[in-house]
Amino acid sequence: QVQLIESGGGLVQTGGSLRLSCAASGDTISDCAMGWFRQAPGKEREFVAGINWSGSITLYTDSVKGRFAISRDNAKNTVNLEMNSLEPDDTAVYYCAAERATTLVPQDYWGQGTQVTVSS
C-alpha cells in the first residue's frame, strides 16, 4: 500500500513560484505512474500533470503547459511539481496520485492534498 504526503503549498502572489513535493511511503513508487491533480472550490478535481515510471514521458493539462514541470526521484521515492508564473486560477488543493499502470493519469493512490493560494 502506497501512502502519499504532499508538501510545499502556501500563499503566493500572482507571477510567483512554488515547488510541491510528494513523498511516498509504505512501498516503492519506482514502478508507478505519478501525477498531480487539483481541486478548486466548487469545482471538480482536475488533472494537472503526469509522469511515467522512469520520468521519460510527461503530460500536462493545457492551462499549465510552459509554467509547470513535473519530475521524480525514484531513489528518494518522491515526485515534485515546479510551478512558475502562478495565476489566481491556479488556486486549489493539489493532490499527488499514483498508479501501477501504463498511464500518465494515475488515480489509484491519493495524498491528502496541499493548499495553493495565488493572490491577485
Side-chain angles (χ1 to χ4, degrees):
Q1 185 81 5
V2 175
Q3 289 89 43
L4 304 172
I5 300 177
E6 304 92 338
S7 62
L11 174 64
V12 64
Q13 291 185 333
T14 297
S17 299
L18 281 175
R19 180 182 174 88
L20 304 184
S21 293
C22 173
S25 62
D27 202 352
T28 180
I29 58 168
S30 61
D31 58 348
C32 292
M34 300 297 297
W36 288 92
F37 291 71
R38 66 187 179 186
Q39 187 167 18
K43 296 186 178 181
E44 294 186 355
R45 189 174 298 187
E46 66 169 349
F47 170 79
V48 175
I51 189 167
N52 73 331
W53 69 274
S54 68
S56 62
I57 304 173
T58 59
L59 178 68
Y60 299 93
T61 192
D62 286 346
S63 63
V64 308
K65 284 180 181 177
R67 300 189 299 122
F68 290 12
I70 187 171
S71 62
R72 66 188 299 159
D73 186 335
N74 286 340
K76 295 182 179 179
N77 238 23
T78 58
V79 177
N80 298 309
L81 185 68
E82 189 76 35
M83 306 188 296
N84 299 309
S85 302
L86 284 162
E87 305 166 352
D89 283 349
D90 296 317
T91 295
V93 177
Y94 282 71
Y95 298 90
C96 178
E99 184 171 348
R100 284 194 172 85
T102 305
T103 180
L104 291 174
V105 188
Q107 298 181 74
D108 268 359
Y109 302 102
W110 295 90
Q112 293 300 306
T114 185
Q115 176 70 47
V116 172
T117 303
V118 184
S119 63
S120 57

